[in-house]
Amino acid sequence: KVQRDADETFLFYSAEMDQRAKDHLRLETELRAALAGGQLELHYQPKVSLRSGRIVGAEALIRWRHPERGMISPNDFIPLAEETGLIFEVGNWVLEEACRQIRAWKDCGLAMPPVAVNMSARQFDRRLPARIQDVLERHGVQPEQIMLEITESLLVGGFDNVIAIMNELVAMGLALALDDFGTGYSSLAYLKKFPISTLKIDRSFVIGLPDEENDCAIARAIVTMAQQLRQEIVAEGVETAEQMAFLRDLGCDQLQGWLFSPAVPAVDFALMLRNGKRLTVARANQA
Ligand code: C2E
Ligand code: MG
Ligand code: MG
Ligand code: MG
């Protein structure tokens, strides 16, 4: 009986794994076609100053407009791209497209704030600074125009190597942000060794503000620490006026979230900038 169960379990898993492998292979093939066939897009989500209410930055977020399955979220294909190594091509496309778009906006006379681009750990190799230099030069984009968002997982292992690459990027004039802060497991002691100008509080700590005591304590600790380290602090996933008021009173610098705007196509982002769309920053204790 035990043996039979084991056999059935094995059959069940192997069939499931087979299906998974097939799904992966198909997705990989389709992603290659998407890269070649112009199905990828960057959308832009504004970052807003909690002092002025103005748009002070943007995050470029990739979207896959699949011909049959509609818009596919990066969470559903970036991990696969990382596994298969396709992330190099995807990452290069993202850098190229962001710089092309920034150039186009500048040529229209738009005053562009810095645009942040997400980086996977695997893209972070020795050739990255040269590759970025090349893209910037070809599009005539200043390095100060670009911020790179990296996650804590990148900081695991090979610290010296990673720090050297980071320093090179910062020396070039790019800014670095630590994304999804608080969800990884990098030691706080390392934090001061990285040439990072911005910390992004992960959405999972923002959700419970201002009612969840634990989330409030974590948000407060992160903001206090960032201030001590002279880092800008951005809260991600801000959806309510109450969350905004709490973060503002903590001294958080910027927010990014649906309260102000989701990520939108480039044309819509340009309209927001041009129209001077602003956040109404209410005080928490206002009657
Ligand atoms: P992330 O870098 O932490 O980006 C923030 C995510 O939160 C985005 O999801 C954004 O659309 C979403 N978000 C922003 N405000 C709110 C809000 O108020 N409420 C909620 N519920 N969500 C909000 P998205 O665009 O689906 O991207 C997911 C993740 O995929 C990103 O997380 C990033 O890690 C990765 N990703 C996106 N674009 C790229 C890319 O070009 N390259 C790489 N390597 N990764 C990317
Ligand atoms: Mg990000
Ligand atoms: Mg994030
Ligand atoms: Mg995130």
Side-chain angles (χ1 to χ4, degrees):
K1 168 87 179 80
V2 169
Q3 187 53 48
R4 230 192 94 212
D5 277 359
D7 286 350
E8 276 170 4
T9 303
F10 174 74
L11 283 176
F12 173 72
Y13 277 122
S14 80
E16 188 177 84
M17 276 155 59
D18 196 41
Q19 189 55 49
R20 261 175 60 90
K22 280 183 188 150
D23 288 348
H24 264 205
L25 197 62
R26 195 185 58 168
L27 202 63
E28 189 185 343
T29 310
E30 288 185 344
L31 185 53
R32 279 187 200 284
L35 266 163
Q39 293 169 21
L40 300 181
E41 296 175 17
L42 288 184
H43 284 195
Y44 297 85
Q45 186 176 34
K47 297 178 181 177
V48 207
S49 161
L50 275 163
R51 263 167 249 112
S52 67
R54 289 178 192 279
I55 297 173
V56 290
E59 177 174 7
L61 293 156
I62 196 168
R63 300 287 181 261
W64 177 0
R65 202 181 285 275
H66 191 283
E68 287 113 42
R69 279 181 280 153
M71 209 63 112
I72 304 182
S73 146
N75 290 324
D76 294 330
F77 67 91
I78 290 291
L80 175 92
E82 286 171 344
E83 269 173 50
T84 57
L86 263 179
I87 193 66
F88 290 104
E89 279 135 83
V90 173
N92 285 341
W93 179 84
V94 169
L95 277 169
E96 197 75 38
E97 172 60 14
C99 288
R100 186 201 62 75
Q101 185 62 70
I102 290 167
R103 180 76 259 154
W105 277 329
K106 293 219 151 188
D107 290 345
C108 297
L110 268 184
M112 276 304 295
V115 174
V117 170
N118 290 282
M119 300 294 292
S120 291
R122 289 191 66 177
Q123 287 174 267
F124 226 77
D125 65 26
R126 291 199 170 286
R127 283 158 307 179
L128 181 66
R131 208 153 55 226
I132 292 180
Q133 188 79 49
D134 170 64
V135 180
L136 291 173
E137 276 169 17
R138 272 189 292 105
H139 292 277
V141 169
Q142 297 301 310
E144 290 73 21
Q145 197 64 65
I146 303 285
M147 173 177 271
L148 302 180
E149 294 195 3
I150 59 190
T151 55
E152 281 172 272
S153 61
L154 190 141
L155 311 179
V156 181
F159 277 117
D160 291 344
N161 213 4
V162 169
I163 292 177
I165 298 168
M166 283 181 167
N167 283 331
E168 214 177 316
L169 293 165
V170 170
M172 279 167 56
L174 285 97
L176 303 180
L178 198 50
D179 206 352
D180 303 333
F181 185 72
T183 59
Y185 38 84
S186 70
S187 123
L188 292 183
Y190 277 115
L191 206 52
K192 64 172 190 221
K193 296 193 181 177
F194 299 117
I196 275 161
S197 61
T198 303
L199 276 191
K200 298 189 75 178
I201 307 181
D202 191 65
R203 189 170 81 86
S204 59
F205 305 118
V206 171
I207 290 176
L209 304 179
D211 299 323
E212 294 287 335
E213 259 175 57
N214 289 343
D215 287 344
C216 293
I218 291 168
R220 192 175 292 118
I222 294 177
V223 171
T224 305
M225 185 190 62
Q227 286 170 341
Q228 296 295 318
L229 295 172
R230 306 250 186 294
Q231 288 161 340
E232 289 265 300
I233 182 111
V234 181
E236 60 177 33
V238 179
E239 296 183 359
T240 71
E242 289 74 23
Q243 291 166 348
M244 174 191 66
F246 185 88
L247 289 159
R248 186 210 129 102
D249 288 356
L250 276 189
C252 181
D253 300 294
Q254 297 169 25
L255 74 72
Q256 190 184 335
W258 295 349
L259 176 68
F260 186 73
S261 170
V264 295
V267 275
D268 299 309
F269 181 76
L271 275 179
M272 262 192 262
L273 261 188
R274 181 153 285 163
N275 298 339
K277 178 175 168 163
R278 282 174 73 168
L279 175 75
T280 312
V281 188
R283 284 187 177 281
N285 52 9
Q286 219 165 39

